[in-house]
């Protein structure tokens, strides 16, 4: 009997596992939990008119049908334009004789949508429309989101279009399915079974992306493999492109610059060589024959060992333009990364991308983007913005953000990145006077860019819940939402995401939101407060290792970045140091010129600060550093306690998962604090102030730890 019970209870658990395993992301479409609202929605959404005249409108109908049936728990009837209360059609398919409510189609562009309530003969109705079918699909997702987040469907008058044209995910996925800096399993793209096997996950990936407006995806790692450009692989790429197309998503590939040698049997990849040009032209033609709407190429060149034009004494512009020329006849584009630095160059790494790219402004073809990471170094917990933003008025810059949390706790730490994204967007470059924010550089309004875009390095893998940490999904979600509308606040987006992902119970929503909104600053404090950066473990970047001096290159060593010595801490980037500050516009420089004027959150990026320096709090630098590290850990403690109170309000599976992950995060936050403070103390020679719990191990213990199989960094 006991055995049966055990088996039975195991079976029950198994069922639950599949009930809320995170696979459905924010598109769960569970029954509306509020009975009154459910009743209202049921009355409001009766028949639906949606002519399924294209694959995209078919997708819109499928989504609407699945969404409404789930949310309303009733069969959805299709109706005609006259008797339906929800009408879904594009501008070209306005039903004959239909009396249209006012829609400002001209304001919607190629991807926007309008959702308008109006009074029809048969009662109140709503239309979802756009100039294009993809606009309509985006509108359908917006409408479903209204219901998922329990908003009113009355008096709708929405006109929305994206702030940026190109809203891309960048996958750092290798052809063998290993994901560089991937912490959520292996790649979702199963090259071995493509093109014949179409995993349901590809379709769900497309749905999720379309629901937040992502319209492009680079399928392969920037540390590129030329093989993907061979016929065998292009046929597989085509299969993915076919799946993603109805959802408005174009595919892009990374182009390995030496591909003409590696797979083309040429002896050179010199971008000015005629055979090389002809090879790329023919390759582009081959790709476009298979995939007529292929997006183009993303290139990492002359960076971290990747081949590039400089080998042939050509510039980045020469390389980018050659590729741009190959895809131009088909409307393709090239995204050329500015992530370049070299330890052979005796120059502050901070300055190198600007030094190389700024002089090339104006030399790139019109279908080239220079793709710039948000900060000058490398996706650190907090960086000042790259000085390139605003400095290349003649070159459209695409911003690259990192959703995969390489330096932000990877997939065991709950870190909601939207506050960081917002901070980046809202930073003023002062390039064209006050108000020249990074958001305005990127959306093209500052310099009238002819094309605009943003890329997020994906945090997606084949883990059942897609992102490893259940809250990693929020970063994917927030990226898409901000790429569409960078005026949304981090709190708005968290609110939407929590309601769709966990439910609308107000206590639950507020509590999870407050955990999310506290998480970014908490992480900065327990890892790299006051502008510390790049002090993570060598190679894998897991955990603290500020003491490392023996990495393969000087500019990979944490000591290069923090510059701790007996006099103080931080990197002097003023005129007395590397003078990286000079790369910013004068008004932007002003804020960082002196220790006193520099915002403390970025202090150690720009100044070598004496240990005894009095901070705004009245504490010395050393005491403030201690304070920040301890408060970071305290914040995680609070997040953990707050989560514990949600027992019974969140489904058991995700509750336990997040609870265990928060316990890991707390342990690791304390590890970061202890290791860093003990190490920096060897320079400050000051005690950890009284009242703080003392580190439980000696510095040697932390320095002796090794993590040979930490994820995300090599096979
Ligand atoms: C894809 C950092 C990461 C690398 C990454 C590189 C890049 O250095 O650690 O894994 O390579 O950035 O963005 O190209």
């Amino acid at each position: 009997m006991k055995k049966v019970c055990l088996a039975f209870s195991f079976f029950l658990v198994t069922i639950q596992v599949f009930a809320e395993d995170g696979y459905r992301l924010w598109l769960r479409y569970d029954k509306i939990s509020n009975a009154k609202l459910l009743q209202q929605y049921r009355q409001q959404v009766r028949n639906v008119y949606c002519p399924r005249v294209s694959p995209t409108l078919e997708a819109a109908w499928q989504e609407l049908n699945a969404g409404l049936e789930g949310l309303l728990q009733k069969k959805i009837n299709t109706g005609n334009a006259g008797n339906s209360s929800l009408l879904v059609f594009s501008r070209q398919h306005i039903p004959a004789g239909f009396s249209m409510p006012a829609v400002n189609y001209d304001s919607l562009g190629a991807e926007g949508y309008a959702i308008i309530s109006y009074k029809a003969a048969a009662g109140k109705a709503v239309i979802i429309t756009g100039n294009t079918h993809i606009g309509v699909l985006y509108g359908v997702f917006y409408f479903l989101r209204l219901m998922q987040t329990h908003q009113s469907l009355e008096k709708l008058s929405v006109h929305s279009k994206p702030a940026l044209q190109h809203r891309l995910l960048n996958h750092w996925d290798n052809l063998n399915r290993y994901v560089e800096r991937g912490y959520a399993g292996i790649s979702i793209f199963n090259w071995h079974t493509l093109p014949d096997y179409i995993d349901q996950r590809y379709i769900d990936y497309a749905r999720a992306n379309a629901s937040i407006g992502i319209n492009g995806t680079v399928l392969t790692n920037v540390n590129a493999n030329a093989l993907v450009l061979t016929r065998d692989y292009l046929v597989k790429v085509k299969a993915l492109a076919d799946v993603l197309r109805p959802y408005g998503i174009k595919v892009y590939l990374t182009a390995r610059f030496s591909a003409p040698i590696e797979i083309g049997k040429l002896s050179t990849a010199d971008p000015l060589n005629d055979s090389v040009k002809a090879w790329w032209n023919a390759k582009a033609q081959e790709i476009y024959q298979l995939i007529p709407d292929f997006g183009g190429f993303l290139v990492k060149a002359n960076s971290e060992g990747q081949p590039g034009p400089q080998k042939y004494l050509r510039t980045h512009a020469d390389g980018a333009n050659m590729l741009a020329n190959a895809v131009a006849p088909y409307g393709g584009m090239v995204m050329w990364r500015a992530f370049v630095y070299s330890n052979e160059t005796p120059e502050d790494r901070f300055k190198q991308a600007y030094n190389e790219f700024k002089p090339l402004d104006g030399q790139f073809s019109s279908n080239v983007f220079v793709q710039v990471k948000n900060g000058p170094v490398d996706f650190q917990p907090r960086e000042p913005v790259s000085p390139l933003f605003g400095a290349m008025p003649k070159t459209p810059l695409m911003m690259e953000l990192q959703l995969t949390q390489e330096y932000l706790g990877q997939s065991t730490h709950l870190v909601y990145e939207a506050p960081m994204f917002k901070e980046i967007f809202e930073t003023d470059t002062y390039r064209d006077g006050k108000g020249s924010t990074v958001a305005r550089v990127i959306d093209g309004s500052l310099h009238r860019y002819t094309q605009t875009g943003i890329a997020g390095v994906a945090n997606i893998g084949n883990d059942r819940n897609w992102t490893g940490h259940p809250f990693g999904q929020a970063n994917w979600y927030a990226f898409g939402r901000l790429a569409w509308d960078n005026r949304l606040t981090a709190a708005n987006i968290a609110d939407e995401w929590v309601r769709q992902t966990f439910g609308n119970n107000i206590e639950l929503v507020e509590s999870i939101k407050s955990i999310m909104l506290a998480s970014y600053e908490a992480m900065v404090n327990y890892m790299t407060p006051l502008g510390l950066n790049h002090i993570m473990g060598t190679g894998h970047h897991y955990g603290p290792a500020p003491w490392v001096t023996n990495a393969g290159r000087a500019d990979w060593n944490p000591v290069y970045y923090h510059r701790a010595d007996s006099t103080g801490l931080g990197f002097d980037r003023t005129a007395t140091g590397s003078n990286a500050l000079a790369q910013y516009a004068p008004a932007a420089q002003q804020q960082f010129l002196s220790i006193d004027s520099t915002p403390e959150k970025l202090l150690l990026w720009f100044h070598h600060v004496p240990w005894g320096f009095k901070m705004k709090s009245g504490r010395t630098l050393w005491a403030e550093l201690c304070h920040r590290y301890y408060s970071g850990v305290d914040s995680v403690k609070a997040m953990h306690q707050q989560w514990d109170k949600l027992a019974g309000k969140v489904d058991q599976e995700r509750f336990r998962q997040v609870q265990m992950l928060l316990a890991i995060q707390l342990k690791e936050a304390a590890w970061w604090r202890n290791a860093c403070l003990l190490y920096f103390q060897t320079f400050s020679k000051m005690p950890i102030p009284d009242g703080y719990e003392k580190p439980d191990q000696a510095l040697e213990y932390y320095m002796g730890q090794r993590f040979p199989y930490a994820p995300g960094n090599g096979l």
Side-chain angles (χ1 to χ4, degrees):
M1 184 60 188
K2 220 176 195 174
K3 260 189 194 155
V4 173
C5 278
L6 276 178
F8 185 58
S9 64
F10 178 73
F11 177 68
L12 276 183
V13 170
T14 311
I15 298 248
Q16 264 196 334
V17 164
F18 273 87
E20 284 296 4
D21 57 11
Y23 181 83
R24 294 182 299 164
L25 295 159
W26 48 88
L27 301 174
R28 288 159 67 245
Y29 303 138
D30 283 344
K31 183 178 173 185
I32 298 290
S33 52
N34 175 325
K36 202 163 144 222
L37 199 59
L38 176 64
Q39 204 46 35
Q40 257 175 39
Y41 284 168
R42 281 179 171 164
Q43 278 160 11
Q44 285 165 322
V45 182
R46 300 176 308 273
N47 295 349
V48 177
Y49 170 76
C50 176
R52 296 141 76 174
V53 294
S54 69
T56 298
L57 288 185
E58 175 63 31
W61 162 252
Q62 294 294 345
E63 197 69 34
L64 207 46
N65 193 45
L68 293 175
E69 286 200 5
L71 292 162
L72 306 182
Q73 293 290 300
K74 69 164 195 178
K75 177 119 195 61
I76 302 304
N77 298 320
T78 54
N80 57 41
N83 69 8
S84 293
S85 62
L86 181 61
L87 290 86
V88 181
F89 53 77
S90 73
R91 188 179 197 170
Q92 303 82 43
H93 293 97
I94 297 175
F98 182 70
S99 115
M100 273 291 284
V103 171
N104 185 354
Y105 279 108
D106 292 341
S107 72
L108 300 178
E111 294 178 294
Y113 54 84
I115 304 184
I116 312 283
S117 301
Y118 70 103
K119 186 110 184 59
K124 287 182 187 169
V126 173
I127 63 165
I128 303 176
T129 189
N131 288 316
T132 58
H133 296 184
I134 190 62
V136 174
L137 177 65
Y138 289 148
V140 162
F141 277 114
Y142 181 96
F143 185 78
L144 288 169
R145 185 185 308 133
L146 286 179
M147 300 175 86
Q148 284 177 281
T149 54
H150 292 193
Q151 309 292 306
S152 163
L153 300 183
E154 294 285 338
K155 300 196 179 125
L156 295 173
S157 176
V158 178
H159 282 81
S160 179
K161 73 169 184 187
L164 303 172
Q165 287 168 299
H166 300 283
R167 307 173 299 278
L168 268 59
L169 286 182
N170 285 185
H171 286 268
W172 286 356
D173 295 17
N174 294 335
L175 298 182
N176 61 7
R177 300 189 75 186
Y178 178 78
V179 181
E180 181 157 348
R181 311 307 177 184
Y183 312 100
I186 58 173
S187 174
I188 58 167
F189 306 121
N190 187 342
W191 297 101
H192 183 64
T193 56
L194 282 165
D196 303 313
Y197 188 89
I198 300 300
D199 194 326
Q200 175 63 33
R201 209 178 252 263
Y202 303 149
I203 298 157
D204 293 331
Y205 168 83
R207 291 175 49 236
N209 280 320
S211 76
I212 49 175
I214 287 172
N215 66 359
T217 179
V218 184
L219 302 171
T220 46
N221 191 355
V222 286
N223 290 332
N225 184 339
L227 267 188
V228 78
L229 300 175
T230 59
R231 182 86 191 174
D232 286 353
Y233 276 92
L234 290 176
V235 171
K236 297 168 190 276
V237 174
K238 172 189 162 31
L240 287 174
D242 290 344
V243 173
L244 302 182
R245 186 172 299 110
Y247 293 88
I249 300 165
K250 285 186 180 181
V251 300
Y252 299 73
L253 293 174
T254 45
R256 185 160 163 92
F257 203 75
S258 49
I261 302 173
E262 288 157 11
I263 59 170
K265 301 204 176 85
L266 299 188
S267 58
T268 177
D270 181 350
L272 300 194
N273 176 290
D274 286 339
S275 316
V276 172
K277 289 188 207 166
W279 188 85
W280 280 110
N281 290 346
K283 187 50 73 183
Q285 188 181 37
E286 181 186 355
I287 296 175
Y288 280 96
Q289 271 163 4
L290 286 167
I291 310 164
D293 57 350
F294 178 67
F297 294 125
L298 169 64
V299 187
K300 172 175 177 177
N302 295 116
S303 165
E304 298 186 333
Q306 291 298 300
Q310 291 178 336
K311 171 165 183 196
Y312 308 97
L313 306 179
R314 312 297 185 200
T315 67
H316 286 290
D318 293 330
N321 294 346
M322 182 269 297
L323 286 174
N325 209 32
V327 294
Y330 316 97
M333 67 188 204
V334 167
M335 295 153 291
W336 193 270
R337 294 175 91 227
F339 180 66
V340 296
Y341 64 101
S342 153
N343 69 322
E344 279 88 46
T345 312
E347 181 58 284
D348 178 3
R349 174 172 168 185
F350 184 118
K351 296 169 70 178
Q352 293 188 31
Y354 180 99
N355 286 348
E356 281 205 46
F357 279 85
K358 165 80 183 150
L360 299 176
D361 191 25
Q363 294 183 29
F364 291 95
S365 302
S366 59
N367 58 334
V368 174
F369 273 107
V370 169
Q371 184 164 311
V372 184
K373 287 189 183 183
N374 58 277
V377 171
D378 191 11
F379 297 137
Q380 294 305 296
R382 175 170 271 134
E383 291 199 42
V385 298
S386 164
L388 279 169
F389 293 114
M392 296 188 66
K394 298 186 203 132
T395 311
L397 299 184
M398 189 152 178
M399 178 182 281
E400 182 177 314
L401 297 167
Q402 197 183 43
L403 315 182
T404 191
Q405 295 165 230
E406 176 180 355
Y407 298 95
L408 276 67
Q410 305 182 352
S411 67
T412 47
H413 292 207
L414 189 168
V415 180
Y416 175 50
E417 294 183 317
M420 173 175 79
F421 300 157
K422 289 293 289 182
E423 188 172 303
I424 295 162
F425 293 149
E426 284 165 8
T427 301
D428 202 335
T429 69
Y430 293 95
R431 282 287 170 190
D432 211 0
K434 196 166 161 41
S436 306
T437 58
V438 171
R440 293 193 54 224
V441 174
I442 297 306
D443 71 18
S445 58
L446 194 67
H447 295 135
R448 297 178 199 282
Y449 285 162
T450 48
Q451 51 182 16
T452 57
I454 192 162
V457 179
N459 57 354
I460 299 164
N462 79 335
D463 271 9
R464 186 69 193 157
N465 75 6
W466 302 83
T467 53
H469 199 302
F471 279 75
Q473 297 177 0
N475 293 333
W476 177 9
Y477 183 85
F479 169 74
R481 296 289 290 129
L482 285 169
W484 185 279
D485 182 357
N486 55 34
R487 293 162 311 177
L488 293 171
T489 67
N492 290 151
I493 298 170
D495 193 273
E496 282 179 4
W497 180 79
V498 174
R499 287 172 185 273
Q500 294 172 91
T501 307
F502 287 104
N504 283 275
N505 172 301
I506 195 66
E507 201 188 323
L508 173 119
V509 172
E510 291 308 319
S511 185
I512 299 184
K513 252 167 60 182
S514 83
I515 291 174
M516 290 170 76
L517 292 170
S519 64
Y520 172 61
E521 211 58 52
M523 178 275 303
V524 173
N525 279 335
Y526 66 71
M527 280 190 192
T528 53
L530 301 174
L532 282 171
N533 61 89
H534 224 304
I535 55 174
M536 292 76 189
T538 303
H540 48 63
H541 299 153
Y542 169 66
W547 45 79
V548 170
T549 55
N550 64 353
R553 300 167 41 157
D555 53 6
W556 284 346
N557 281 309
V559 294
Y560 174 95
Y561 297 94
H562 64 66
R563 312 243 155 165
D565 60 19
S566 59
T567 65
L569 180 63
F571 198 136
D572 180 4
R573 291 192 162 99
T574 66
T576 54
S578 78
N579 206 18
L581 261 188
Q583 295 184 335
Y584 290 106
Q589 287 176 36
Q590 283 303 320
Q591 356 162 36
F592 304 118
L593 280 181
S594 72
I595 298 185
D596 288 318
S597 66
T598 304
E600 288 186 347
K601 61 184 182 182
L602 293 172
L603 187 61
L604 303 174
W605 274 98
F606 294 107
H607 297 279
H608 190 70
V609 183
W611 291 112
F613 178 81
K614 275 263 163 14
M615 304 287 286
K616 296 202 171 70
S617 60
R619 301 183 190 100
T620 62
L621 169 67
W622 167 251
E624 183 67 24
L625 194 70
C626 293
H627 171 72
R628 299 282 175 127
Y629 270 113
Y630 277 90
S631 71
V633 177
D634 286 347
S635 306
V636 182
K637 231 177 253 164
M639 286 158 59
H640 194 282
Q641 283 162 359
Q642 221 172 325
W643 184 262
D644 279 350
K645 292 198 193 120
L646 295 173
K649 297 201 175 68
V650 173
D651 55 281
Q652 181 62 12
E653 188 190 3
R654 289 183 298 174
F655 176 76
R656 278 291 298 145
Q657 243 182 321
V658 173
Q659 193 181 43
M660 289 187 285
L661 287 166
L662 282 167
I664 295 178
Q665 185 169 358
L666 183 55
K667 197 164 78 181
E668 294 191 349
W671 167 34
W672 265 94
R673 176 197 68 197
N674 294 346
C676 291
L677 286 178
L678 288 173
Y679 169 72
F680 290 125
Q681 191 177 37
T682 63
F683 299 97
S684 77
K685 309 276 188 226
M686 296 173 172
I688 293 176
D690 287 343
Y692 291 130
E693 164 199 350
K694 297 291 173 286
D696 55 351
Q697 301 282 350
L699 177 59
E700 293 64 39
Y701 166 82
Y702 297 109
M703 290 176 68
Q705 293 197 305
R706 296 286 176 272
F707 306 96
Y709 301 115
N713 178 41
L715 291 173

